[in-house]
Amino acid sequence: MIDFYNEVLKEKENLLTDLKTLCQIPSVLDKSTAKGNQPFGAGCRQALDAMLAIGKRDGFVTDDVDGYAGSIDIGEGEDVFGILGHLDVVPVNKTGWNYPQFDATLDGDRLYGRGVADDKGPLLAAYYAAKIVNRMQFDRRYKMRVIFGCDEENGSSCVDYYFKHRPYPAMGFTPDADFPVVYGEKAISQYTLSGDFSQHDIIGIYGGKRFNVVPSVAEAYLKGDVKDYEASFKAFLAQYSLKGMIGKEGNVVKLLVNGRSAHGSMPQKGINAVVYLCHYLNSISKNALVDFVDRYFFEDTSGKALGIANEGRLGTTTVNLGVLNYKEGHAQIKLDIRYSDELTHKKLQETLMSHAKEVGFNEKHNDTDALYVDPNSELVTKLHASYVEYTNDHDHHPQVIGGGTYAKEMPNCVAFGAEFPGRDNHMHEDNETILLDELLKSTAIYAKALYDLIKK
Ligand SMILES: [Zn+2]
């Protein structure tokens, strides 16, 4: 049996040198330097050139698709096995880092720097894996194509463009999420509801900033005096063990409720401050808006009251009310809804809007399809077996998630690493990090998986 980890160790220094090269390039979206063949700005262009140069240096055929994305072809075969990663990174804070932000610094057993975990490190791990496999003599079904986009962090227009101009590989994986392997991702629909509501005692309600985050704070402004609301508001806070405050601001009463933030794909893990506040407001005021929120969202993150609850092969429906703004009689609500693909986008729209239209809401929305690859397919079982072989982890199984990885950009593609279960690599945060040994282990896992999948 081939010891891929041992083969990876021989490449360790080369891998670290290339990772340093890529991480030293601040490949953050920069519209001010966007032009012609650098649609995402100078940094992304430079990172793309650096990755293409690595491929050329190693003797492979490279492809630059107008600065949106690029690829490196490794080996020969009738069909193509794709590996999809990205070279762009999210911006960094000026303070808060203990290491240079744009570098790959080894301190003890860890690497630090923007991109070491998301996604330059895992992309290079997969590239080196392909390189190692390619040196071996065996008959192949597939050639390997490492594809790298430059706009994953801002909507993945890079691969939309790439796949408009290049064919899809037969199958593949994306090293831009978690081990062991993600074979299913829910569909996502984001709705913006807008409508007008007469005001009565409620002057304004504000909470949340984004579709996909559970709002942790919500505020309401009411006519009247503090004494009109104080007793009932405090009783409400006590009943639901919430923190909040009530006070006078100018000549109106201000209420504030604190909840707990969570990712919009797991709204049940948060405490939605907006929804709780509306539950209180519905008890003291007649207003169709707060009645709507209370009726369809209070202590219900599974869409039961809306009639869109569904327990399917990708899990249960989740509904996050991410934003509510109500000002001068005009309300806007932003919803993030994730669901298994037995429920269609259209059925969801009809059901949701049958309730929302009743109170006068209009909608704008955006749908993302679900991803599902048979967990018993050759792709998923071989990826998983390779993970088990190099980790001896029999406890974590192929999984379905709330959705939204790069894998959705390519048919017959699943997310595969490189964050290990229970690990927090501080992606998108200060001091982004990855354990050097986990980067090397990922490389070995990818190599074995590629070997097993491409051989005849
Ligand atoms: Zn990423």
Side-chain angles (χ1 to χ4, degrees), residues 86 118-119 152-153 176:
H86 65 93
D118 181 17
D119 184 42
E152 191 276 339
E153 301 292 0
D176 189 30

Side-chain angles (χ1 to χ4, degrees), residues 4-216:
F4 286 100
Y5 186 74
N6 196 39
E7 295 303 308
V8 171
L9 287 180
K10 295 179 197 162
E11 291 282 355
K12 178 177 149 187
E13 293 310 319
N14 295 333
L15 172 58
L16 287 177
T17 303
D18 285 346
L19 183 58
K20 225 173 166 47
T21 301
L22 290 184
C23 288
Q24 283 172 349
I25 302 166
S27 47
V28 177
L29 173 67
D30 175 13
K31 287 186 178 141
S32 73
T33 55
K35 61 175 185 191
N37 73 340
Q38 53 183 56
F40 311 115
C44 291
R45 177 70 245 181
Q46 210 189 327
L48 181 57
D49 285 333
M51 190 69 208
L52 293 167
I54 288 169
K56 280 183 202 135
R57 173 200 70 196
D58 295 338
F60 302 125
V61 175
T62 63
D63 186 15
D64 171 6
V65 185
D66 304 328
Y68 283 81
S71 68
I72 301 173
D73 276 5
I74 301 175
E76 296 297 331
E78 258 171 60
D79 283 322
V80 173
F81 186 95
I83 297 155
L84 177 62
H86 65 93
L87 287 167
D88 60 312
V89 293
V90 294
V92 295
N93 290 317
K94 285 215 167 67
T95 55
W97 281 76
N98 304 325
Y99 302 89
Q101 292 96 329
F102 291 110
D103 204 344
T105 306
L106 186 61
D107 182 7
D109 54 2
R110 288 182 165 278
L111 286 156
Y112 293 89
R114 176 61 83 230
V116 295
D118 181 17
D119 184 42
K120 290 168 174 173
L123 170 65
L124 276 176
Y127 172 74
Y128 270 85
K131 209 169 113 168
I132 287 165
V133 166
N134 188 51
R135 285 201 289 255
M136 297 170 175
Q137 299 293 328
F138 64 101
D139 288 337
R140 306 164 190 201
R141 293 184 286 164
Y142 298 98
K143 80 159 87 169
M144 296 171 280
R145 177 168 295 157
V146 182
I147 304 167
F148 23 95
C150 296
D151 183 43
E152 191 276 339
E153 301 292 0
N154 291 283
S156 300
S157 67
C158 48
V159 273
D160 290 341
Y161 187 94
Y162 178 90
F163 287 122
K164 251 183 214 133
H165 295 82
R166 297 291 184 274
Y168 286 117
M171 65 166 128
F173 68 80
T174 173
D176 189 30
D178 303 320
F179 283 124
V181 51
V182 179
Y183 69 86
E185 303 179 24
K186 287 176 189 167
I188 306 174
S189 293
Q190 295 185 324
Y191 276 79
T192 301
L193 305 178
S194 308
D196 295 306
F197 297 86
S198 59
Q199 289 183 272
H200 302 292
D201 332 326
I202 303 170
I203 300 163
I205 309 172
Y206 308 92
K209 288 200 177 70
R210 302 173 63 166
F211 284 101
N212 63 355
V213 179
V214 176
S216 59

